Amino acid sequence: MLHFFRRGALTGAAAAAALAVGLAATAPAAQAETVLKVVPHSGLKILDPIWTTAYITRNHGYMIYDTLFTLDPEGEIQPQMADTVSRSEDGLTVTITLRDGLKWHDGADVTAEDTVASINRWASKDAMGQKMMTFVDSLEATDAKTMTFTLNTPTGLIELALAKPSSNVPFMMPARIAATPGSEQIEEYVGSGPFMFNNEEWEPGTKVVYDKFDDYVPRSEPANGLAGGKVAKVDRVEWTPNRDMQQAVNSLLAGEVDIIESMPPDLLPLIEGKDDAYTSIFNPAGLQYTFRFNVLHPPFDNPKIRQAVLYAFNQEDFLDATIGDPDYYQTCKAMFVCGLPFETTAHMDGLLESDFATARKMLEEAGYDGTPVVLMHSTNVPVLTNLAPVAKDLLEAVGFTVDMQSMDWSTLVARRSKKDAPADGGWNAFATAWDAGDLFNPLAMAFLNAGCDNALFGWPCDDNIEKLRDDFARSTSFDDQKAIVEQVQAAWVEYPTHVHLGQFNTPTVLRSNVQGFLNGGIFALWNIEKQ
């Protein structure tokens, strides 16, 4: 079960009152087409949610694709495309059947052959999927609607991994598309979700259009976060990013925009007291800022030099520079997120406190020779923009040479997959953020995957961390898992794969005539009505 910290009450009762007033004042009117206009947190340039972990692409995935399972807001596994799950008495065979009526956007039926191919492609990229497949001897479509896992060891990881709510989400695709290697981007965008991607109107990075999929058959249960029926209640959704948040708010108040996905808390006064707008937090769990190392190239190929960064950084500087309002952030040394079951500060004493003297001493002992750190700096996602400058200042304060290179987020996302030397277009480090739902245990945390070439960009390679992740996957006792988590943190101190920089949340802003917004941990747009 996931329990997360919750900050500010936002507009609270005032928002509810404004919503009620707004709905009363704008009674439903007949419309030929209902269009929901959204300002997403970033432009969309990459359309393959398996190829990248970028959240803008994940959110795109939730618009057009569906999943076999998902997690409800209480953290419980719920079926989505799946109808039934059964297990053999020895626990070594897991059989999943698909529910009736599932169709792809091109009109073809969804088959078990499609879902088997999709699982295999997702598992080739995702840290949790890779670990799940270590338990699987074979995965086959045994008839048109049935797939069968044959396991080498009983595990509950199958449903949990397939319910993974965030990047990389195990989205289902037609087999012909899922046959694309995970290292290559797909070139056809056919899903079975509640909305269809409008390829003709796509302007990469500028505009995305989705049309309602009339043949989608939602589950019969009410929508409950990512679980339950995914009912599209508008005909068309348009995403138009806007780097100027003040302009975006003005557009929302003027009725030209319906939703702003993520607004910096320091702009909340712009909507305070306005009857036309209210705020909501779709992810009460929050997010965690993260600094990622690339271990392939100097200077971060040396674990001792990466350890010096653990002493150079402090979380408060990053959080103050990005979120600003302490009501929306908290410092937290626990890798697996404060407020979650595996929260622990074991082995964290002295770290993340900007102990410059210790950091400088460690750099000297590690033989740092002044090799520049190529630090990628994203400039068009407000909640990320100030991270790299803070990192640069703290690194330089202890003696690093830093070459901070600015670019838009989509360019950074493309570049971070390159293994080239930094001088040849590669990189040494960048900062990003992860949803708490991606971080709640050692299997879900993708940046902790230390599987060398199979690891996420940055490509850490450490047998001890991988052994501990295996131990966690095989353990069925929470107390044993908690003990393993503490060992994982000790191993991470010896071999840092990334640095966690504190937790935060940002509000979503909606016009008062928009209702049905789901607080399920992901920015989802089904169930929303526009009056």
Side-chain angles (χ1 to χ4, degrees):
M1 179 180 289
L2 306 182
H3 295 286
F4 300 97
F5 78 97
R6 177 74 164 89
R7 291 285 177 172
L10 303 176
T11 51
L19 174 61
V21 170
L23 292 177
T26 54
Q31 295 182 3
E33 182 179 61
T34 307
V35 181
L36 189 69
K37 297 186 177 181
V38 177
V39 177
H41 71 266
S42 173
L44 178 69
K45 292 183 178 178
I46 298 171
L47 297 176
D48 186 345
I50 305 302
W51 188 82
T52 181
T53 58
Y55 285 162
I56 190 66
T57 306
R58 175 203 65 187
N59 294 352
H60 156 76
Y62 270 106
M63 293 294 288
I64 71 170
Y65 299 110
D66 212 345
T67 56
L68 292 170
F69 299 91
T70 194
L71 296 182
D72 66 19
E74 287 71 45
E76 301 294 333
I77 298 171
Q78 302 292 346
Q80 188 50 252
M81 298 170 75
D83 185 21
T84 63
V85 182
S86 62
R87 288 175 177 273
S88 61
E89 288 189 6
D90 62 5
L92 294 177
T93 302
V94 179
T95 303
I96 300 172
T97 60
L98 300 172
R99 62 187 173 90
D100 294 332
L102 300 176
K103 287 188 176 297
W104 299 114
H105 296 161
D106 60 9
D109 292 338
V110 175
T111 69
E113 181 184 0
D114 296 319
T115 55
V116 166
S118 297
I119 291 169
N120 284 329
R121 182 169 191 263
W122 161 75
S124 74
K125 290 284 288 187
D126 181 75
M128 204 164 178
Q130 291 171 5
K131 195 58 64 183
M132 180 193 80
M133 293 304 279
T134 65
F135 291 86
V136 177
D137 278 346
S138 67
L139 168 59
E140 299 176 302
T142 45
D143 64 39
K145 291 179 57 181
T146 306
M147 72 199 86
T148 301
F149 291 81
T150 303
L151 310 180
N152 51 50
T153 306
T155 177
L157 192 56
I158 302 298
E159 295 97 317
L160 180 62
L162 294 176
K164 188 171 183 278
S166 193
S167 299
N168 297 100
V169 180
F171 290 121
M172 298 295 111
M173 304 176 179
R176 68 178 186 281
I177 300 174
T180 307
S183 58
E184 300 175 12
Q185 294 188 53
I186 59 174
E187 297 180 349
E188 188 180 0
Y189 315 107
V190 176
S192 64
F195 292 95
M196 299 184 296
F197 177 65
N198 189 323
N199 203 13
E200 293 182 355
E201 296 193 52
W202 180 42
E203 300 173 23
T206 303
K207 183 180 180 182
V208 193
V209 174
Y210 302 96
D211 299 309
K212 179 180 178 180
F213 180 40
D214 290 329
D215 289 337
Y216 182 75
V217 179
R219 297 191 68 85
S220 59
E221 303 92 338
N224 182 23
L226 300 178
K230 296 180 176 179
V231 180
K233 297 183 177 179
V234 296
D235 300 306
R236 176 182 166 101
V237 178
E238 297 179 359
W239 287 7
T240 308
N242 189 340
R243 295 175 59 179
D244 186 336
M245 278 290 107
Q246 182 154 341
Q247 184 185 68
V249 172
N250 291 338
S251 296
L252 184 134
L253 294 175
E256 298 164 357
V257 166
D258 299 305
I259 302 176
I260 300 172
E261 179 189 353
S262 176
M263 190 170 80
D266 62 345
L267 294 182
L268 281 174
L270 293 174
I271 65 165
E272 287 179 354
K274 305 289 187 184
D275 290 340
D276 293 335
Y278 68 105
T279 62
S280 181
I281 288 183
F282 64 83
N283 181 13
L287 299 95
Q288 184 187 79
Y289 281 129
T290 307
F291 182 87
R292 179 62 161 177
F293 300 111
N294 182 348
V295 309
L296 297 184
H297 305 290
F300 291 144
D301 61 337
N302 184 340
K304 297 295 183 185
I305 290 178
R306 301 201 298 277
Q307 288 175 356
V309 178
L310 304 185
Y311 285 91
F313 282 176
N314 74 89
Q315 297 183 338
E316 194 160 8
D317 282 4
F318 290 96
L319 294 165
D320 277 341
T322 50
I323 304 303
D325 185 343
D327 281 344
Y328 290 91
Y329 76 67
Q330 71 175 120
T331 58
C332 171
K333 288 190 177 184
M335 288 183 68
F336 300 100
V337 186
C338 287
L340 298 189
F342 294 113
E343 172 188 353
T344 174
T345 57
H347 310 288
M348 294 293 176
D349 289 347
L351 305 180
L352 300 172
E353 296 176 358
S354 282
D355 179 351
F356 291 164
T358 298
R360 292 187 187 111
K361 181 181 178 184
M362 295 185 74
L363 270 189
E364 182 179 355
E365 291 175 352
Y368 176 61
D369 61 1
T371 299
V373 173
V374 173
L375 175 61
M376 296 194 292
H377 170 218
S378 69
T379 58
N380 63 330
V381 180
V383 296
L384 301 180
T385 300
N386 290 339
L387 291 173
V390 172
K392 180 176 186 293
D393 287 348
L394 292 174
L395 291 170
E396 290 178 340
V398 299
F400 280 100
T401 301
V402 180
D403 176 12
M404 188 174 77
Q405 299 182 9
S406 300
M407 62 200 75
D408 65 42
W409 177 245
S410 291
T411 300
L412 187 155
V413 167
R415 183 170 171 181
R416 71 187 181 183
S417 66
K418 295 182 178 179
K419 293 184 176 179
D420 299 334
D424 297 324
W427 55 281
N428 291 117
F430 72 96
T432 185
W434 287 94
D435 278 346
D438 283 320
L439 307 170
F440 61 97
N441 68 40
L443 302 180
M445 183 178 284
F447 275 178
L448 192 62
N449 179 353
C452 311
D453 285 342
N454 289 326
L456 211 56
F457 37 81
W459 305 281
C461 191
D462 185 76
D463 291 341
N464 189 29
I465 290 177
E466 284 306 286
K467 177 186 178 302
L468 290 168
R469 294 179 69 238
D470 286 342
D471 291 346
F472 186 94
R474 287 177 167 78
S475 174
T476 57
S477 158
F478 176 78
D479 289 341
D480 289 347
Q481 290 179 331
K482 193 86 182 266
I484 293 169
V485 163
E486 293 187 359
Q487 294 175 54
V488 167
Q489 288 195 170
W492 166 84
V493 172
E494 292 300 313
Y495 188 93
T497 54
H498 63 285
V499 190
H500 47 296
L501 304 174
Q503 292 176 221
F504 70 99
N505 226 321
T506 57
T508 296
V509 185
L510 305 96
R511 278 191 61 78
S512 54
N513 63 333
V514 174
Q515 60 179 318
F517 186 60
L518 297 166
N519 298 326
I522 301 293
F523 185 66
L525 297 176
W526 58 84
N527 199 55
I528 289 181
E529 294 180 274
K530 181 178 176 182
Q531 302 295 324

